[in-house]
Amino acid sequence: MRKIDIEIGYQFKNVKLLETAFVHRSYSHEKQNKIENNERLEFLGDAVLELTISEYLFKNFPELPEGEMTKVRASVVCEKTLVKVATKHNFSNFLLVSRSEHIGNNGKRRPSMLADCVEAVIGAIYLDGGYIESQKFILNNLAEYVAESIKGLGVKDYKTTLQEIIQRDPTRKLEYVLIRAEGPEHDKTFYMKALCDNVQIGNGIGKTKKEAEQMAAKMAIERMKYEA
């Protein structure tokens, strides 16, 4: 399963956990239950996924009330989004299903099956590498959908708010510049700075450039409030 390690950006110490994450119950039944299926890992992964997204929303979007955070989490932690993650990493190439399931029910490409597999992989990463590693996988794949969902709520993000503040004077220029990026390709951390008329007014760190820009804008806004 080394190929799937590369796909998801995490190398397992216990490869058996990864293999189990891709065993559907139909395949297990076909083998007289001699092979463990992924349902228990799916159960665990679902809990880790909900906690990670909840924590991410709580820490990074202090302007969101409880009800809005619940809406965003529900829109992200759902079958449709998880299928996108499975498709991105070609999970259908590795999923094991029974012969009848494969022939009769669109087997490896059935949305519910792929979504369950993603949760099982999260559970497997959690058991193998701990919460931080499972959190990395989740946010690397789902942070962009969190941002999309928040925009859909009509909530202003920090960059938009900062832009509106700066543009009160049309002669002023706001821009974001990458300071540096650290880490391997599958797990980079980005450092950005916000500049107003070439003067640094904030800096931020994130797992994506957009997230780092948001954090830089947030710092700039907080400084403006403090200095006002």
Side-chain angles (χ1 to χ4, degrees), residues 56-154:
Y56 181 73
L57 288 169
F58 185 86
K59 288 183 175 179
N60 292 284
F61 300 94
E63 76 280 9
L64 288 182
E66 182 270 341
E68 300 294 345
M69 286 195 294
T70 300
K71 288 179 184 177
V72 172
R73 185 180 62 191
S75 72
V76 173
V77 183
C78 67
E79 181 179 287
K80 181 179 178 181
T81 304
L82 295 181
V83 168
K84 290 179 181 178
V85 175
T87 302
K88 173 184 175 182
H89 295 296
N90 301 306
F91 277 14
S92 62
N93 293 343
F94 305 95
L95 187 60
L96 297 176
V97 302
S98 68
R99 185 176 302 176
S100 60
E101 187 72 42
H102 181 62
I103 295 172
N105 295 313
N106 199 25
K108 294 185 176 186
R109 299 191 181 280
R110 193 144 59 107
S112 61
M113 217 176 265
L114 290 173
D116 291 346
C117 185
V118 172
E119 291 182 335
V121 167
I122 291 170
I125 294 174
Y126 174 80
L127 290 177
D128 191 73
Y131 178 62
I132 297 300
E133 291 298 333
S134 60
Q135 185 184 54
K136 286 179 184 177
F137 173 78
I138 292 167
L139 295 180
N140 283 344
N141 286 281
L142 294 178
E144 63 181 290
Y145 298 112
V146 172
E148 287 178 7
S149 180
I150 289 174
K151 286 182 181 178
L153 293 174

Side-chain angles (χ1 to χ4, degrees), residues 24-227:
H24 186 256
R25 66 174 178 272
S26 66
Y27 185 86
S28 180
H29 291 165
E30 189 175 70
K31 301 299 180 182
Q32 289 78 49
N33 296 317
K34 293 179 181 178
I35 299 175
E36 185 180 359
N37 66 53
N38 64 8
E39 289 183 336
R40 285 171 56 82
L41 286 175
E42 176 201 336
F43 171 83
L44 178 61
D46 176 64
V48 176
L49 175 58
E50 288 235 354
L51 174 60
T52 297
I53 297 300
S54 298
E55 181 183 0
Y56 181 73
L57 288 169
F58 185 86
K59 288 183 175 179
N60 292 284
F61 300 94
E63 76 280 9
L64 288 182
E66 182 270 341
E68 300 294 345
M69 286 195 294
T70 300
K71 288 179 184 177
V72 172
R73 185 180 62 191
S75 72
V76 173
V77 183
C78 67
E79 181 179 287
K80 181 179 178 181
T81 304
L82 295 181
V83 168
K84 290 179 181 178
V85 175
T87 302
K88 173 184 175 182
H89 295 296
N90 301 306
F91 277 14
S92 62
N93 293 343
F94 305 95
L95 187 60
L96 297 176
V97 302
S98 68
R99 185 176 302 176
S100 60
E101 187 72 42
H102 181 62
I103 295 172
N105 295 313
N106 199 25
K108 294 185 176 186
R109 299 191 181 280
R110 193 144 59 107
S112 61
M113 217 176 265
L114 290 173
D116 291 346
C117 185
V118 172
E119 291 182 335
V121 167
I122 291 170
I125 294 174
Y126 174 80
L127 290 177
D128 191 73
Y131 178 62
I132 297 300
E133 291 298 333
S134 60
Q135 185 184 54
K136 286 179 184 177
F137 173 78
I138 292 167
L139 295 180
N140 283 344
N141 286 281
L142 294 178
E144 63 181 290
Y145 298 112
V146 172
E148 287 178 7
S149 180
I150 289 174
K151 286 182 181 178
L153 293 174
V155 178
K156 291 181 181 178
D157 58 27
Y158 293 117
K159 287 180 65 178
T160 299
T161 301
L162 181 59
Q163 184 74 27
E164 290 175 351
I165 293 171
I166 299 299
Q167 286 187 336
R168 290 171 187 169
D169 181 347
T171 65
R172 305 186 76 185
K173 179 184 177 183
L174 174 66
E175 62 181 327
Y176 296 89
V177 176
L178 177 66
I179 301 172
R180 67 182 185 278
E182 297 178 347
E185 283 300 318
H186 66 271
D187 187 26
K188 281 191 177 298
T189 298
F190 295 92
Y191 298 77
M192 304 289 296
K193 59 184 177 181
L195 303 175
C196 181
D197 298 333
N198 294 319
V199 176
Q200 183 170 330
I201 56 175
N203 58 70
I205 304 171
K207 299 308 296 181
T208 66
K209 289 181 181 178
K210 289 183 179 179
E211 183 182 352
E213 288 172 354
Q214 286 285 352
M215 294 301 100
K218 178 184 178 184
M219 176 182 285
I221 293 168
E222 289 173 348
R223 281 182 174 176
M224 289 175 180
K225 289 179 180 178
Y226 180 77
E227 294 170 359

